[in-house]
Amino acid sequence: LLFMLVFILVSKNIDFFLGLIFLSAAIAWTWGERRIFPILFTSVIFPLLVFLLFEKMLNLRFPGGLLTNLYYY
């Protein structure tokens, strides 16, 4: 529950993708993964794939944030 609250706060106030990176890493940690490389790999690749799916294939823009503003401008 705490991870979801942090995800909501980060995604609403800072950037959706930073929140998604945090949530992916937190879920992997909660499920028992303790190796840092797989956690970092999945927490970066998953949001990247989500972005590519929605941005390139579905032509949907994400709301502005730290990372998305770097891409859009």
Side-chain angles (χ1 to χ4, degrees), residues 15-69:
D15 189 77
F16 174 75
F17 290 102
L18 291 177
L20 201 55
I21 288 170
F22 168 78
L23 185 63
S24 300
I27 288 173
W29 182 267
T30 303
W31 285 348
E33 181 61 59
R34 296 297 184 252
R35 296 172 295 165
I36 195 72
F37 181 74
I39 290 175
L40 290 176
F41 181 76
T42 56
S43 65
V44 170
I45 295 299
F46 175 68
L48 181 64
L49 291 176
V50 167
F51 179 77
L52 291 175
L53 172 73
F54 280 90
E55 175 68 26
K56 300 299 181 185
M57 298 176 109
L58 300 174
N59 293 323
L60 296 173
R61 282 184 68 134
F62 284 95
L66 291 176
L67 297 178
T68 50
N69 285 345

